[in-house]
Structure formats: structure tokens, C-alpha cells
Amino acid sequence: MTPTRTQHAVLDRPGSGPRVSDDMTVEVALSLMAGARVDHLVLCDGDEQRTGLVTLAGLAVLRDSAAYTDRLRLRDVV
């Protein structure tokens, strides 16, 4: 079994916040943001290197667009 690392949200620095995998779907990300009460997520690749940042407002606009599907991944948004 592989141990997991706990990430703590520190929202006072630019680019900090909850770190998530960039293969997460938009639906899951929106749900996570609502539960964690945050307005952005830091995206990381498989090597846990930062690849981008998504905001609640940006994902909400995307979800309401005609291009949205429930299979859309965060890496496709960035």
C-alpha cells in the first residue's frame, strides 16, 4: 500500500490551495470546491508538479457552455 500525503490549503499565497490531479473531471472538481469552500484548485501532473490553476468561476462558465461534457478533464481546460 502506498502512503498518501495530506495537502493543507494555504490560501494567503498566490498559486497555493488544494492540489488535485489534472485528470480529475470538471464535475468532481466543482463538487470538491463546494465541499472545501474554496474558489480555486492547483492542478498537478502525475509527478505532482504544478501544471495550472482552475477557478470556480471559470469552471462554472465552462459547465454552462455548449462544449461541456461530463467526461471533460481539468487538463483539457487549462
Side-chain angles (χ1 to χ4, degrees):
M1 180 169 20
T2 304
T4 59
R5 289 191 287 168
T6 303
Q7 298 289 333
H8 296 283
V10 179
L11 301 177
D12 57 344
R13 293 184 323 207
S16 66
R19 297 170 62 97
V20 298
S21 175
D22 62 3
D23 68 345
M24 180 180 286
T25 64
V26 170
E27 280 298 311
V28 173
L30 287 167
S31 179
L32 177 75
M33 287 180 178
R37 298 181 185 202
V38 296
D39 65 352
H40 70 278
L41 297 172
V42 177
L43 303 181
C44 297
D45 62 13
D47 295 326
E48 295 192 27
Q49 297 298 310
R50 185 177 187 265
T51 59
L53 184 91
V54 292
T55 64
L56 180 59
L59 292 182
V61 168
L62 176 67
R63 188 164 115 188
D64 293 338
S65 76
Y68 176 76
T69 70
D70 63 351
R71 295 179 185 211
L72 190 62
R73 305 270 176 197
L74 294 176
R75 73 170 61 113
D76 301 328
V77 174
V78 176

